[in-house]
Amino acid sequence: MTETATNSTATLNKFEKFKLEKDGLAVKQEIEQFAQIGWEAMDETDRDHRLKWLGVFFRPVTPGKFMLRMRTPSGILTSGQLRTLAEVVQRYGEDGNADITTRQNLQLRGIRIEDIPDIFRRFEQAGLTSVQSGMDNVRNITGSPVAGIDADELIDTRDLVQQVQDMITNSGEGNPAFTNLPRKFNIAIAGCRDNSVHAEINDIAFVPAFKDGVLGFNVLVGGFFSAKRCEAAIPLNAWVDPGQVVALCQAILVVYRDHGLRANRQKARLMWLIDEWGVERFRSAVEQQLGASLQKAAEKDEIAWDKRDHIGVHAQKQPGLNYVGLHVPVGRLFAQDMFELARIAEVYGSGELRFTVEQNVIIPNVSDSRLDLLLKEPLLERFSVHPATLERSLVSCTGSQFCNFALIETKNRALGLIRELEAEVSCSQPVRIHWTGCPNSCGQPQVADIGLMGTKARKDGKTVEAVDIYMGGKVGKDAHLGTCVMKSIPCDDLKPVLQNLLVEHFDAHLKEEAVTST
Ligand code: SRM
Ligand code: SF4
């Protein structure tokens, strides 16, 4: 890493200092020792921060019970891998469960540090990795959840996503070249027509585009959410052939690693560097690093559809085969659910499963003749192929049950409230309601029709859990971010407010009203 004028050692924040003292990935060699001494005896920086380079997250809310964040490129797992993860949750996860995340990924909970070495051995045998999934690393790389099976896809992005992950993580071994970025980093590759990865909110996004009759990608850069600022990605004015995707990611990461701003963690995401330099200078620096000129962006991209949620039964591009999208309420899974999903994928499909950024699961490759039986499986009573209209599009971050940044409880409240609303309001169209427990925006309220961001408010002289309300997020074609329209609504007062919004903006009717008017 070179030191730029903006990044002199004197101005380094405490995170930059501890990264310089010892690379995050170094804890890989110490994991057996941590397991022996236990979490209470560990050095605090190793425990609270550096372990995240291995995907192991200390949870101050449940001290001693860690969270394990996997990497599942494009959200794809085999049934064998899911079974391994189910065994980990069942055997090692005290009060364990798992959550499907907003990056098509899985997080396991209730894990003890004593069990990590054994768990990592199991991961290795199963071809799984959790490396570099937290802190100043590149997060799980998202791709279309129906890549390779989508009847209307343009580019099958599965291999590309895997190759980018392999480049960044040295095929899961860990790669010191990219373990000291200025901040977290998100990459998405869309080969579909509906932008099913939320390209606009990634630091680098590839969207399909034709240039002179050749199919490749236009490149967007700098999209991010943070507590201080949220920005949609902007065009890099570059078009690349699929064969250049890995090299371009590498070049951008090197430029960001070596020149990204490090003084203030609230101003360290890629967009801040692009702001400081201007996109032209940034593009030139990337070209220099790449050792080649970038072609100008194609005039238009091929994102022409509204975003699909992939729930239900859909014919694949392979004749006679279908993918079946199951709705997993707020993404929460227990070990038994994971075993069942693995079994179902094997019995009815090809033994593959895929997660979506809406925190749901897809079973691909189900033949026409097996569909009826699959649809009768008891698990589908809870993980439905035709969920209730409002619950269908509900997304929620972790919230205060496990996350110490949270200002409110999210998942349980989100589910409880949506079921009450569903009983009282009839809505003919899905409304994408996203909950996020604090301004970090992991639940992506800015992409939602109605986004709910946790905050605190005063009510009757007391501090209570509340939300700021966002509206206007558009996904798919012409995606753009929603904005805050109401502030500090106490959660206890939220139901009538949401009812009004649904009636006024989404053509919903109060059920009582509907009955009296007929
Ligand atoms: Fe996030 C930090 C959970 C997607 C922005 N996020 C956290 C931590 C690690 C905080 C912590 O240590 O407790 C949360 C872990 C809680 C837990 O126990 O589960 C957490 N983030 C999540 C997940 C699990 C939410 C979910 O329920 O799905 C998502 C995991 C994705 C994955 O598999 O890797 C998750 N986080 C996101 C997204 C959405 C996305 O990527 O599309 C964002 C906004 C997009 C972005 O990053 O630009 C997001 N998370 C943040 C931020 C704010 C980043 C910033 O630049 O300021 C933080 C705080 C930080 O990094 O300092 C954060
Ligand atoms: Fe935690 Fe806040 Fe992210 Fe929710 S949005 S998971 S509360 S950091």
Side-chain angles (χ1 to χ4, degrees), residues 397-400 403-408 410 435-443:
C397 85
T398 306
S400 63
C403 179
N404 60 303
F405 286 120
L407 298 169
I408 62 168
T410 51
W435 285 75
T436 207
C438 79
N440 283 328
S441 300
C442 306

Side-chain angles (χ1 to χ4, degrees), residues 364-406:
N365 302 320
V366 180
S367 66
D368 292 341
S369 60
R370 311 285 292 152
L371 261 180
D372 277 354
L373 272 180
L374 165 57
L375 297 178
K376 288 191 187 115
E377 280 284 346
L379 186 70
L380 272 64
E381 283 163 28
R382 283 194 300 123
F383 295 173
S384 177
V385 288
H386 40 69
T389 317
L390 293 176
E391 194 175 326
R392 178 178 184 127
S393 310
L394 187 67
V395 168
S396 174
C397 85
T398 306
S400 63
Q401 191 181 4
F402 298 110
C403 179
N404 60 303
F405 286 120

